[in-house]
Amino acid sequence: MNNSQTPLKKARIAKGLTLQEVAKRVDSDTGNISRIERGKQTPSKELVTKLVGLFSDYGITEVHIIYPERFSD
């Protein structure tokens, strides 16, 4: 991905959460969340479900997380 923000990163920032806070809430680590946000890593199905639950109020779906390049600016 280029320097555009993925939907997941936009939602995290809009919700006012740090990478550490997201990682703690979804039982992951900051490195994984960072790579997922940048489109460098595809999360497990379990982690996708947790992230969707955390950011559902921002319209985040599985597709936004698994295929972030489809939503680049």
Side-chain angles (χ1 to χ4, degrees), residues 11-12 14-17 25 51-61:
R12 177 179 62 78
K15 196 164 177 136
L17 296 174
R25 290 184 187 197
L51 289 167
V52 167
L54 182 59
F55 294 107
S56 61
D57 51 338
Y58 287 86
I60 295 297
T61 67

Side-chain angles (χ1 to χ4, degrees), residues 9-27:
K9 185 170 184 175
K10 289 177 186 176
R12 177 179 62 78
I13 291 168
K15 196 164 177 136
L17 296 174
T18 65
L19 285 170
Q20 294 83 2
E21 290 168 327
V22 171
K24 185 174 181 178
R25 290 184 187 197
V26 298
D27 194 28

Side-chain angles (χ1 to χ4, degrees), residues 32-68:
N32 283 339
I33 301 302
S34 176
R35 286 186 296 275
I36 293 163
E37 276 192 358
R38 292 180 285 127
K40 302 293 183 190
Q41 177 177 321
T42 302
S44 68
K45 291 177 185 177
E46 179 184 4
L47 186 51
V48 169
T49 300
K50 290 178 180 181
L51 289 167
V52 167
L54 182 59
F55 294 107
S56 61
D57 51 338
Y58 287 86
I60 295 297
T61 67
E62 292 90 349
V63 175
H64 290 108
I65 296 170
I66 297 170
Y67 303 105

